[in-house]
Amino acid sequence: MPSPLVRTALPPTVSLEAGEGGLPRLAVANATARALVYLHGAHVAAWRPMGHEPVLWMSRHSSWAAAKPIRGGVPICFPWFGPHATDKGAPGHGFARLLDWTLVAARDDDRGATHLSFELTPPAPPPATWPHPCAAACHVTVGASLELALEIRNTGTEPFTFEEALHTYFAVQDVRTIEISGLAGTDYLDKVGGTTLRNQGPAPIRFTAETDRVYVNTQAACTIHDPGMRRRIVVRKSRSNATVVWNPWVDKAQAMPDFGDDEWPQMVCVETGNVNVHAVTLAAGASHTMTAAIDVAAIA
Ligand code: BG6
């Protein structure tokens, strides 16, 4: 099934196929991992390194439609995070996860990993909520690690300010039994019931209620300890100063049409980003690249 969104030859490890809802996706099967990546949103929907269970969570109730975001995997949030600052009608988390991206490069390396590069040129004329000429690229490496790099370029003549996130959904046995380390002593904006500045203190993050936090001033790696799945997931990052941690819990899960009422215990989001106080200002002609790398290891 050819697609105008694929502008490069594919190595034998990558096939283009019709995915959920008929949306085109790339199925990667190499010596180190399996992955599914949709052109809609340049969205990594699944990743399973050899010898492990799937690492990313995907809702059984996700929309699979051109105008809707995918609920699970790694949505790309850009150029704003959450609701738009002034336009209530603008899509949440920006437009990048709602648009088709173009595959411009695909190759295998000698370590058995597959590299995919996607480009997004926001539609012209630009949306009224985002009148800034820019280009975005996302580089995905599917291997024993999953590596993501989001590159934003200012193609205009004036500076602009943007937010971004790699909104990674992880599969866990039961969010009530996991711990997340790496953010001890870090300040965070608690977004549950208004926005309050708090500090994590010495303890790892544990989940006992709805959790929606923007950890600020942190470039730290985070580790999800999941005794139920007998594994830990490590998220390392660069050029990201915020980490968002989210679980909707009971009521918010019920309120979301594309999220099953009973699905919240099996997921947690640990998002690599530059949001809120860490929005990035980019000079004309400049570019900014944020990366995240995910590894998984078995625990005894
Ligand atoms: C998180 C935000 O990153 O994404 C939450 O911090 C939000 O506030 C969640 O509810 C899901 O957003 P959406 O737009 O995908 O439903």
Side-chain angles (χ1 to χ4, degrees), residues 69 71 81 92-93 97 167 169 191 212-214 244-246 252 256 258 269 271:
R71 177 69 70 192
F81 183 79
H93 289 330
R97 63 177 179 167
H167 191 309
Y169 287 78
K191 296 203 293 176
D212 192 354
R213 301 177 180 177
V214 179
V244 181
V245 176
W246 180 60
K252 195 152 183 199
M256 288 186 284
D258 59 345
C269 288
E271 309 167 33

Side-chain angles (χ1 to χ4, degrees), residues 219-289:
Q219 300 82 40
C222 286
T223 301
I224 302 169
H225 302 265
D226 185 351
M229 291 193 80
R230 303 170 76 86
R231 71 180 183 187
R232 65 170 175 268
I233 297 168
V234 181
V235 186
R236 294 185 180 80
K237 60 181 194 162
S238 69
R239 277 171 238 102
S240 155
N241 292 315
T243 296
V244 181
V245 176
W246 180 60
N247 180 282
W249 218 254
V250 179
D251 294 347
K252 195 152 183 199
Q254 285 176 0
M256 288 186 284
D258 59 345
F259 197 115
D261 292 358
D262 58 349
E263 290 186 313
W264 60 269
Q266 274 76 58
M267 56 72 65
V268 70
C269 288
V270 177
E271 309 167 33
T272 295
N274 287 303
V275 309
N276 201 289
V277 293
H278 294 300
V280 176
T281 298
L282 208 50
S287 68
H288 178 278
T289 301

Side-chain angles (χ1 to χ4, degrees), residues 178-183 204-207 222-225 245 268 270:
I178 69 167
E179 288 182 354
I180 298 179
S181 61
L183 294 167
I205 303 171
R206 299 189 184 95
F207 295 82
C222 286
T223 301
I224 302 169
H225 302 265
V245 176
V268 70
V270 177

